[in-house]
Amino acid sequence: MGAYSEVLPAKTSRKQQALDYISEYILEHGRSPAMGEIALALGVSDTRAKALVKKLAFEKMIERAAGAQRAITVPGLLERQLLERMRSMGVVVNDDFKRGDRVLPLPQGHLPLVAILEHIPEVDAGDLHATSSY
């Protein structure tokens, strides 16, 4: 068994373990792992590792380029990593306002809402033609 499989919670599905390992490997090494590395890390056979990767690809959790050994990508992985890093630094991201479990106040929540259109002066249609130059 690899070091990765020794720290995994027992309740996590093999499919999720494979996805987590692939994601972590890509973030650490800048490329996807080989099937043998996935099998070793999860403590499964090469055949089982290939089946897990195939299932992840079928469910569109990963993408694979045909015929390439290390051509696994995880859609949105880098974006999620950047968002997590920004949140850890205290940055509030737009998606945080949409969470169903809690509603975050807007940063300017203490300000009164003012109708912006009330401040636009009325313009006569005749004035538009008189002031325009061709």
Side-chain angles (χ1 to χ4, degrees), residues 19-96:
L19 179 61
D20 291 344
Y21 175 75
I22 291 167
S23 298
E24 289 175 19
Y25 191 98
I26 291 171
L27 289 172
E28 183 177 337
H29 300 283
R31 59 181 167 79
S32 64
M35 281 306 161
E37 292 170 315
I38 296 170
L40 183 63
L42 298 177
V44 298
S45 68
D46 286 349
T47 304
R48 179 71 174 131
K50 288 177 186 176
L52 288 166
V53 169
K54 188 175 181 178
K55 188 170 188 176
L56 288 169
F58 178 76
E59 293 178 8
K60 305 221 184 292
M61 297 174 83
I62 62 170
E63 294 174 353
R64 295 182 67 197
Q69 289 293 322
R70 294 181 181 255
I72 300 171
T73 58
V74 180
L77 176 63
L78 294 178
E79 291 86 357
R80 286 193 302 272
Q81 181 70 13
L82 287 172
L83 288 174
E84 286 176 27
R85 191 169 292 172
M86 289 172 64
R87 286 183 179 118
S88 72
M89 295 183 327
V91 176
V92 178
V93 183
N94 285 346
D95 291 342
D96 294 336

